[in-house]
Amino acid sequence: MLKILKYSFYDLIRSRWTYIYCGFYLLFTLSLLWLSSDLSKVVISLMNVVLLLCPLIATMFGVMYYYNSREFTELLLAQPIRRTSIFFGQYLGVAGSLSASWLIGTGIPFILYGVFGSAQAGNFFTLMLVGVALSFIFSGLAFLIALNNENRIKGFGLAILVWLFFAVIYDGLLLLSLAWFSEYPLEKFSLTASMLNPIDLSRILILLKLDISALMGFTGAVFRKFLGTGFGMSVSLIVLTLWIILPTLGIRRVSLRKDF
Amino acid sequence: MLHPHIIKTLTATAFLMMAVALQGRVIEVCPECPVSSISEAIELAQPCDTVLVKKGTYSEGNILIGKDLTLFGEGNPILDGGGNSEILTIHSQFFHIEGFTIQNIGTSYTQDRAGIRMKESQNFTIKNNRLLDAFFAIYLEKSKDGVVENNFVLGQAENEAGSGNAIHLWYCENIIVKDNHLAGHRDGIYLEFVDNSRVTGNIAENNLRYGLHFMFSNDNFYHHNTFRNNGAGVAVMYSRRIDMFQNVFEKNWGAASYGLLLKEIHDSRIEQNSFLENTVGIFTETSNRLTYVRNTFAHNGWAMKISGGCQQNVLTQNNFMSNSFDLAVQIAGMDNNYDGNFWSDYSGYDLDRDGVGDVPHRPMKLFSYIVTRTPESIVLMRSLFVDILNFSEKVSPIFTPENVVDHAPKMKQTSGIAQGAETPGPKIDPAAKPGHSLTQNALTIK
């Protein structure tokens, strides 16, 4: 598995798209830091980008890589290598290279700016963590979709739909249901519902650190208990880890059963 | 005795010094002296004498003073209440107390025990004292023309019902509360039926309820104070003609917490204050004809929440910077004016370069409206969907009140952020007094 991981990783690292992806983050972060003197504002702007872009690129990249390397995969399948090693190797290669692009692209400007000495160091780490987690989650989902669909067009379509669902539609539905049932106590529901979407979850993880003053403005004891303490943080982190593990398990299941 | 008219024209402090100089009789009290208790010294004293208390601990229970005296502590003498007694109860036409540590008053649910109580008194100064573990620390009732200056008050209040206020004023007039540091009580400063008074340069922090609390008190002004990390900030209620300027309201966080609560306040001015990192910067309800000028709101959850019944208020030249929500107006159809402020999230342009944006700004976002109606939807803050919603609402407003709009948003922020009070005491600039003038009689502090 390690060999395949290494191969996929180096293959992607040499790819033009990885450079573009990394370069984009590098430029974007640099210009943000250049233009704004307020580190927390930069973190917020980057948050908006990472919540949108990381999942999108991870989904697209994952699907693309799977379909493109299909012939190579078939070749590997003929060899005495375990199936799970092949697919995990490829999946981790994609997720790893995307995470590396993200970490290098945003990390370097921040470190040059001197984030470690500032009060924003914690927020910076959360942001980095969220970017990596989202890359892993969504490339995992992408692999799962691609494995389940032989038809490329269908696979791409489905992948985009999944991204759109988590990024926009889910929030719309949530808001609608909140407005609809506004006469009922909704605190637990709204918290649980946002836990179930990795993008919302990542957003809340960052907001917990940044906009806590607004989030605290509630009479609801559930919110205060959850958002105001380390408990909320740890639950968020656990659920985020679950979101990484579940697609991985899915990949394992499908790859073991699939008839190539 | 000097004639009351003369008293009126002189400052209390200057007058005191003069009186001491004129009379000159000093009664010394110390544990080893011929006069070893304060009560005894007061018994002996003639009007206008000075009782000089030397270093030591005095546990004499409740000391009643009905004479015009100067009570001066040398080397920080300690008056101990033993946990079950009020300490100084003063009824005097002319009084000065300075340099004591007053401690251990003890909680009572039946009487309002105080460290220093001025009862129906006039012309007094309470200065440079330390009040520790007091129930009520300084309690002024039906008194006038007094100064409470540079006292350090630290309580250990645990719940609102079983704690008193650091400085409590009830039916008073013409009082100056200046440069005090107040912490760990229910309210930092409490004023009820207090007129023509001034609260300045104080720091009120870590109090359970409010840093400053006004009730039914007219024609007062407070400025250069810092209110930090109190249970619910500052509350000004049922009063008229209050001037608030150059105060700092910061870090008042919590479920029902705000920097400044205004309820039924009319004809007042709020100028050059800073509201930093509060859950709600200003919460205002049924308050009319207020002017908010040159205030700075930064990093608050809500900069301002305007509830029902607020008419003819003017907001201008304020800075709204990096607040999660700038404005939440709960009811449409109020005729407040929001023109000429700086909004950090204003996205318009200024083609003619006159410093005023060419496109009107709508400070109330759709999401702010949604959160007001369904508080739980806060979990969606800053999500892409919400941004899309806000954008479409901005293009064509449907839900948000139509008249909540800044027709002339400023491109640059107004300079001059309030500094509030620093430890130790602040520099007070007498020239910085804006707004209508208060009747300036009797007391001025040099």
Side-chain angles (χ1 to χ4, degrees):
Chain A
M1 184 174 113
L2 271 178
K3 250 188 190 148
I4 295 167
L5 197 167
K6 223 164 126 187
Y7 174 79
S8 297
F9 188 77
Y10 283 124
D11 183 30
L12 279 160
I13 283 286
R14 279 198 301 271
S15 147
R16 182 159 44 130
W17 290 106
T18 315
Y19 285 113
I20 293 175
Y21 185 54
C22 183
F24 167 77
Y25 278 131
L26 200 67
L27 268 178
F28 187 72
T29 316
L30 271 177
S31 52
L32 272 181
L33 285 170
W34 187 278
L35 290 171
S36 168
S37 52
D38 190 352
L39 263 181
S40 72
K41 269 187 189 167
V42 177
V43 172
I44 287 178
S45 307
L46 266 175
M47 181 195 81
N48 288 330
V49 171
V50 68
L51 292 181
L52 194 67
L53 220 58
C54 265
L56 179 64
I57 301 289
T59 323
M60 292 293 96
F61 237 65
V63 177
M64 226 160 63
Y65 188 77
Y66 176 81
Y67 287 134
N68 276 346
S69 60
R70 192 179 156 87
E71 276 151 25
F72 177 61
T73 313
E74 275 168 9
L75 182 75
L76 283 177
L77 283 170
Q79 310 297 319
I81 311 172
R82 292 172 55 167
R83 279 186 166 196
T84 44
S85 318
I86 300 173
F87 292 106
F88 278 161
Q90 288 183 344
Y91 157 58
L92 290 176
V94 171
S97 69
L98 285 171
S99 307
S101 301
W102 157 254
L103 287 176
I104 292 168
T106 41
I108 288 177
F110 266 104
I111 289 166
L112 287 180
Y113 195 83
V115 74
F116 288 119
S118 76
Q120 297 294 327
N123 295 343
F124 169 72
F125 280 122
T126 317
L127 189 72
M128 294 283 106
L129 182 89
V130 160
V132 171
L134 284 176
S135 300
F136 269 83
I137 291 168
F138 279 88
S139 47
L141 285 174
F143 260 78
L144 199 59
I145 290 166
L147 268 169
N148 276 319
N149 291 283
E150 290 293 311
N151 186 339
R152 289 184 181 207
I153 308 287
K154 218 173 152 190
F156 265 109
L158 208 58
I160 291 183
L161 203 68
V162 163
W163 170 78
L164 200 67
F165 176 75
F166 282 123
V168 185
I169 298 170
Y170 189 90
D171 290 354
L173 291 176
L174 179 55
L175 189 61
L176 217 64
S177 54
L178 285 177
W180 195 266
F181 296 106
S182 61
E183 275 143 44
Y184 297 87
L186 289 169
E187 292 155 336
K188 279 185 185 158
F189 167 71
S190 58
L191 274 179
T192 322
S194 45
M195 284 282 152
L196 295 178
N197 177 348
I199 298 183
D200 278 353
L201 185 61
S202 314
R203 188 167 45 76
I204 287 174
L205 258 177
I206 300 176
L207 287 188
L208 270 180
K209 302 206 142 199
L210 290 175
D211 282 289
I212 194 79
S213 53
L215 288 165
M216 290 283 278
F218 286 95
T219 41
V222 179
F223 265 123
R224 230 183 323 161
K225 198 178 149 201
F226 188 79
L227 299 174
T229 58
F231 176 69
M233 201 59 145
S234 26
V235 169
S236 309
L237 281 175
I238 289 168
V239 177
L240 208 60
T241 323
L242 271 180
W243 261 108
I244 299 177
I245 293 170
L246 284 179
T248 321
L249 289 179
I251 292 172
R252 194 182 121 87
R253 228 191 88 206
V254 176
S255 66
L256 284 180
R257 288 186 186 175
K258 194 173 157 73
D259 187 18
F260 283 93
Chain B
M1 253 330 263
L2 287 164
H3 197 273
H5 282 299
I6 303 172
I7 298 170
K8 277 229 159 187
T9 51
L10 291 171
T11 75
T13 331
F15 178 76
L16 240 170
M17 286 171 178
M18 217 168 83
V20 173
L22 281 173
Q23 295 289 328
R25 219 173 79 111
V26 176
I27 302 171
E28 280 192 19
V29 182
C30 65
E32 295 81 28
C33 298
V35 183
S36 64
S37 89
I38 299 170
S39 317
E40 202 183 333
I42 286 162
E43 197 73 15
L44 290 168
Q46 297 293 315
C48 296
D49 280 357
T50 297
V51 174
L52 180 68
V53 183
K54 298 265 174 89
K55 195 174 175 161
T57 302
Y58 303 84
S59 308
E60 303 178 28
N62 191 358
I63 302 170
L64 300 166
I65 303 171
K67 292 176 178 169
D68 301 348
L69 291 175
T70 294
L71 201 56
F72 195 88
E74 195 179 87
N76 214 353
I78 295 165
L79 307 187
D80 197 304
N84 59 9
S85 169
E86 172 157 317
I87 298 181
L88 293 169
T89 310
I90 299 149
H91 169 65
S92 165
Q93 295 311 300
F94 167 62
F95 198 81
H96 182 105
I97 174 166
E98 184 171 350
F100 287 90
T101 293
I102 296 170
Q103 63 185 31
N104 275 337
I105 282 119
T107 304
S108 162
Y109 291 95
T110 49
Q111 43 182 178
D112 288 348
R113 291 177 192 150
I116 302 171
R117 179 190 298 272
M118 301 299 297
K119 240 175 156 172
E120 292 162 30
S121 300
Q122 289 177 36
N123 309 306
F124 54 88
T125 313
I126 300 170
K127 197 176 168 185
N128 300 343
N129 300 294
R130 284 151 49 88
L131 292 108
L132 310 172
D133 292 340
F135 183 45
F136 282 78
I138 298 171
Y139 197 124
L140 313 181
E141 57 175 271
K142 296 189 175 170
S143 296
K144 57 182 183 177
D145 304 332
V147 180
V148 179
E149 188 183 349
N150 206 20
N151 299 290
F152 177 84
V153 183
L154 180 63
Q156 288 184 336
E158 275 161 14
N159 57 60
E160 279 187 25
S163 58
N165 305 319
I167 297 181
H168 186 101
L169 276 68
W170 187 67
Y171 276 110
C172 291
E173 223 185 307
N174 242 323
I175 308 288
I176 292 180
V177 179
K178 191 184 162 197
D179 299 350
N180 301 289
H181 191 154
L182 316 162
H185 278 262
R186 184 172 61 194
D187 288 347
I189 303 168
Y190 179 90
L191 298 97
E192 192 172 349
F193 306 110
V194 176
D195 295 339
N196 293 314
S197 293
R198 190 147 73 107
V199 175
T200 171
N202 301 288
I203 298 174
E205 58 188 348
N206 305 325
N207 294 296
L208 286 184
R209 198 168 62 183
Y210 302 120
L212 173 69
H213 192 171
F214 270 73
M215 297 282 267
F216 315 109
S217 298
N218 302 326
D219 301 294
N220 299 297
F221 59 126
Y222 65 95
H223 55 95
H224 294 90
N225 300 290
T226 296
F227 304 103
R228 187 186 298 132
N229 204 14
N230 297 298
V234 169
V236 184
M237 304 188 190
Y238 312 107
S239 305
R240 286 166 186 276
R241 296 176 300 278
I242 309 286
D243 264 6
M244 320 168 202
F245 58 94
Q246 302 241 2
N247 300 292
V248 174
F249 305 81
E250 61 183 352
K251 297 200 170 84
N252 297 296
W253 273 7
S257 196
Y258 22 71
L260 175 60
L261 166 75
L262 300 168
K263 186 168 169 58
E264 302 204 19
I265 302 301
H266 307 298
D267 309 296
S268 300
R269 235 180 130 78
I270 297 162
E271 188 162 334
Q272 272 194 303
N273 301 288
S274 291
F275 298 86
L276 312 170
E277 296 180 51
N278 304 291
T279 301
V280 180
I282 297 182
F283 182 87
T284 158
E285 196 177 71
T286 26
S287 298
N288 302 326
R289 298 178 300 279
L290 303 190
T291 316
Y292 304 84
V293 198
R294 290 194 284 165
N295 299 292
T296 295
F297 301 86
H299 302 287
N300 300 292
W302 280 266
M304 277 189 82
K305 260 191 175 178
I306 300 176
S307 190
C310 296
Q311 304 281 359
Q312 296 173 41
N313 298 297
V314 175
L315 269 94
T316 189
Q317 295 180 53
N318 300 293
N319 300 317
F320 291 86
M321 300 189 294
S322 310
N323 302 296
S324 300
F325 303 101
D326 285 334
L327 208 56
V329 181
Q330 256 149 354
I331 292 171
M334 293 188 286
D335 59 344
N336 302 311
N337 185 331
Y338 305 97
D339 290 349
N341 297 291
F342 171 79
W343 312 90
S344 65
D345 61 352
Y346 177 56
S347 54
Y349 45 82
D350 178 22
L351 285 183
D352 51 5
R353 295 199 168 253
D354 58 352
V356 176
D358 299 345
V359 189
H361 178 64
R362 297 190 166 274
M364 183 156 172
K365 292 179 183 157
L366 177 57
F367 189 51
S368 177
Y369 170 81
I370 293 171
V371 170
T372 320
R373 289 192 46 174
T374 321
E376 290 86 359
S377 58
I378 191 78
V379 290
L380 291 172
M381 194 159 85
R382 289 188 196 284
S383 91
L384 181 63
F385 184 77
V386 164
D387 288 346
I388 296 170
L389 271 186
N390 280 339
F391 179 74
S392 57
E393 175 76 9
K394 198 167 132 189
V395 177
S396 54
I398 301 165
F399 297 102
T400 49
E402 212 167 297
N403 59 352
V404 180
V405 59
D406 187 340
H407 297 99
K410 292 179 64 174
M411 298 304 287
K412 280 190 175 152
Q413 65 194 68
T414 314
S415 56
I417 293 173
Q419 299 300 315
E422 300 293 328
T423 350
K427 312 267 179 296
I428 290 161
D429 178 16
K433 185 170 68 72
H436 63 264
S437 66
L438 279 165
T439 40
Q440 283 280 302
N441 53 3
L443 293 169
T444 38
I445 287 274
K446 283 271 145 52

